[in-house]
Amino acid sequence: MKQYDFLIVGAGLFGAVFAREMTRMGKRCLIIEKRKHLGGNIYCENIAGINVHMYGPHIFHTNDETIWNYVNSFVGFNHFRHTPIACFKGMLYNLPFNMNTFHEMWKVKTPREAEEKIQEQVKQAGITVPRNLEEQAISMVGTDIYRILIQGYTEKQWGRKATELPRFIIKRLPVRFTYDNNYFNDKYQGIPVGGYNKLIAGLLADIEVRTNVDFFRYREEFCNMAETVVYTGCLDEFYDYRFGRLEYRSLRFEHEVLEVPNFQGVAVMNYTEREIPFTRIVEHKHFEFGTQPLTVITKEYPEEWTSGKEPYYPINDEKNNQRLKEYSALAKKERNTIFCGRLAEYKYYDMHQVIAAALKKTKMISNYGAVPIPAAGVLSTDS
Ligand code: FAD
Ligand code: UDP
């Protein structure tokens, strides 16, 4: 018998939930993490008494009561509501696209006037079946909002023309004909009281974790230590990039401590014009209604991903999705390795979806009742 039932590569949200649930079932788990800290991209650092989201602003939201109760069993959540503001050439607009935005854009007051304005612009653009992000956006909110609030932001965020990007990216955003600035439609929303590290600490309590350890440096030794490997790193790296690299978009974060109590009055301000190199400024204290005398802000600069940088956003265009199919075919054949999470599935997952995927996977394993589970490669974890 090997020393561990599961070797989990990556201490992000997927790895942490998976380890917690398997430990509950009496399985022996070891997590290795190549970064110096736990939590993957939800990790926070305390600067001047403020929890700073080190890898971009993270707002927890879900419609699923089970997932909400699950996270709340580790840490309480506050009542934060995400109501970001967009800034274009000094003018401010409410997000997501709602009656406030339409009023700011066109001075319309009623939903009917707003709908008519949008329909007129969609008609003028001649779009019937949208084929890419640009056409999808115009068909949702018309040409004015596309040009002012979407095109510049999207093209700097992704480093590609909006006409070359898939439609699903913009379909994430709600469009509403009510005066409601809540960025999400979900029933539950909030930030962990005391920050995301509390959630990770709760999930990983009493679980063996080794940080600063890269799986690929000791691959053979680690594989020999455990019955099953749960891999949450990049899928192409696992196969030594044999079909070429899966591309990502990376980000650079510039953090600053400012000697003012309140810099921008909102947690997230998007800068939608092309000429400004960052996409947004995050003022972290607002996530937790902080009253500290100082504030911490982060400017987020999108960057091309190259080896050595953090891979943040999978680029699910045709070329990369085709490559993903080749890697997934190999992964499906693995008997003792499970590939899950944002990097291993090369999928734009939110936190609640990653948690749902981990709970689903652990349930499947417990139902099967033994490891290794059959055909343990990539499994669809849509939720
Ligand atoms: P990760 O957090 O990436 O964890 C994977 C871990 O594996 C990492 O810690 C990595 O270092 C480690 N690893 C990789 N390779 C190796 C190796 N070879 N050896 C050892 N360790 C390795 N979701 C929301 O719900 N709301 C939001 O507001 C939100 N905002 C976001 C903003 C940004 C900028 C980004 C990038 C993501 C955002 N998300 C948000 C998504 C959220 O971050 C993810 O859903 C979640 O963190 C994914 O967890 P994961 O475990 O799959 O991946
Ligand atoms: N987006 C935009 N303008 C904005 C905010 C978002 O054009 O002010 C577009 C952009 O293409 C982005 C997508 O909407 O990639 C999804 O936005 P979301 O806020 O969901 O992005 P996240 O950072 O959470 O991935």
Side-chain angles (χ1 to χ4, degrees):
M1 190 164 83
K2 294 187 178 176
Q3 196 180 344
Y4 297 98
D5 294 306
F6 293 100
L7 169 79
I8 298 154
V9 180
L13 206 43
F14 188 95
V17 171
F18 187 94
R20 173 83 274 133
E21 293 313 300
M22 293 324 294
T23 304
R24 250 196 250 275
M25 290 174 210
K27 302 295 180 195
R28 298 154 305 152
C29 297
L30 168 66
I31 306 190
I32 55 169
E33 168 55 58
K34 72 176 175 187
R35 296 186 196 173
K36 64 179 193 313
H37 61 76
L38 307 176
N41 289 341
I42 70 171
Y43 169 71
C44 295
E45 228 159 71
N46 192 291
I47 303 176
I50 296 163
N51 290 312
V52 175
H53 297 203
M54 297 306 281
Y55 301 98
H58 277 72
I59 299 99
F60 195 91
H61 57 97
T62 180
N63 251 330
D64 185 334
E65 195 179 353
T66 318
I67 301 294
W68 183 242
N69 289 340
Y70 184 78
V71 291
N72 274 275
S73 71
F74 298 99
V75 60
F77 277 66
N78 70 16
H79 66 282
F80 177 81
R81 293 289 170 271
H82 192 34
T83 55
I85 302 281
C87 178
F88 179 84
K89 297 193 192 294
M91 297 292 287
L92 301 186
Y93 299 88
N94 285 110
L95 291 175
F97 312 116
N98 73 88
M99 282 307 297
N100 289 306
T101 332
F102 306 141
H103 177 70
E104 287 147 359
M105 191 67 61
W106 301 309
K107 296 287 168 251
V108 294
K109 290 200 185 74
T110 65
R112 189 174 170 170
E113 287 172 301
E115 282 183 61
E116 278 172 5
K117 194 87 191 163
I118 292 171
Q119 280 322 313
E120 185 189 304
Q121 297 194 352
V122 173
K123 202 170 161 199
Q124 257 175 22
I127 296 163
T128 43
V129 183
R131 291 163 303 175
N132 52 50
L133 194 153
E134 175 173 294
E135 292 184 1
Q136 180 66 43
I138 294 174
S139 70
M140 284 159 64
V141 289
T143 321
D144 289 343
I145 292 184
Y146 171 68
R147 299 264 174 250
I148 291 174
L149 299 180
I150 300 176
Q151 187 175 20
Y153 186 99
T154 296
E155 294 189 347
K156 61 186 172 180
Q157 166 80 351
W158 294 97
R160 284 159 176 73
K161 289 199 172 309
T163 47
E164 291 161 12
L165 286 164
R167 295 182 305 139
F168 81 88
I169 294 176
I170 196 71
K171 283 166 85 179
R172 284 166 62 87
L173 300 193
V175 178
R176 318 190 173 97
F177 293 88
T178 51
Y179 288 91
D180 176 1
N181 295 327
N182 189 344
Y183 204 63
F184 302 112
N185 285 326
D186 289 347
K187 198 163 159 191
Y188 306 103
Q189 186 178 161
I191 303 288
V193 176
Y196 282 94
N197 294 1
K198 291 231 159 134
L199 173 60
I200 290 294
L203 285 164
L204 294 180
D206 304 325
I207 290 170
E208 190 180 344
V209 188
R210 299 187 200 163
T211 47
N212 286 314
V213 178
D214 191 326
F215 172 67
F216 294 108
R217 274 202 69 189
Y218 312 98
R219 185 173 186 154
E220 217 181 305
E221 290 95 309
F222 278 125
C223 288
N224 288 334
M225 282 161 78
E227 305 288 351
T228 301
V229 173
V230 177
Y231 179 77
T232 74
C234 292
L235 184 58
D236 53 355
E237 191 176 6
F238 191 89
Y239 291 108
D240 212 13
Y241 310 106
R242 72 177 72 166
F243 302 125
R245 291 197 186 247
L246 289 170
E247 292 172 305
Y248 284 90
R249 196 71 181 145
S250 196
L251 298 168
R252 181 166 59 81
F253 299 102
E254 236 176 58
H255 309 289
E256 287 171 60
V257 179
L258 303 178
E259 310 249 337
V260 294
N262 187 1
F263 170 71
Q264 62 183 16
V266 68
V268 178
M269 176 125 16
N270 290 355
Y271 286 80
T272 58
E273 65 204 84
R274 194 69 201 255
E275 295 69 29
I276 294 181
F278 48 84
T279 46
R280 51 190 174 188
I281 299 183
V282 178
E283 186 172 13
H284 301 268
K285 70 191 312 177
H286 297 304
F287 288 123
E288 298 183 59
F289 314 106
T291 54
Q292 300 85 348
L294 303 174
T295 197
V296 183
I297 62 162
T298 303
K299 290 184 182 142
E300 201 170 302
Y301 296 83
E303 288 189 337
E304 208 49 52
W305 179 79
T306 50
S307 187
K309 288 187 187 166
E310 285 295 340
Y312 289 109
Y313 292 100
I315 297 181
N316 291 106
D317 61 9
E318 255 173 54
K319 182 181 89 181
N320 285 291
N321 284 345
Q322 196 48 43
R323 199 162 277 173
L324 173 64
K325 277 191 191 151
E326 297 185 86
Y327 283 116
S328 299
L330 288 183
K332 277 194 182 115
K333 291 190 195 134
E334 301 282 348
R335 299 283 301 167
N336 297 339
T337 308
I338 302 174
F339 299 87
C340 283
R342 219 184 204 216
L343 300 173
E345 292 180 71
Y346 194 64
K347 203 165 172 181
Y348 202 117
Y349 269 139
D350 274 336
M351 291 180 279
H352 61 290
Q353 295 167 317
V354 164
I355 294 170
L359 293 177
K360 188 170 165 190
K361 183 72 69 174
T362 52
K363 199 160 175 221
M364 259 181 64
I365 294 173
S366 89
N367 287 345
Y368 185 73
V371 282
I373 59 168
V378 173
L379 287 162
S380 170
T381 43
D382 277 330
S383 59

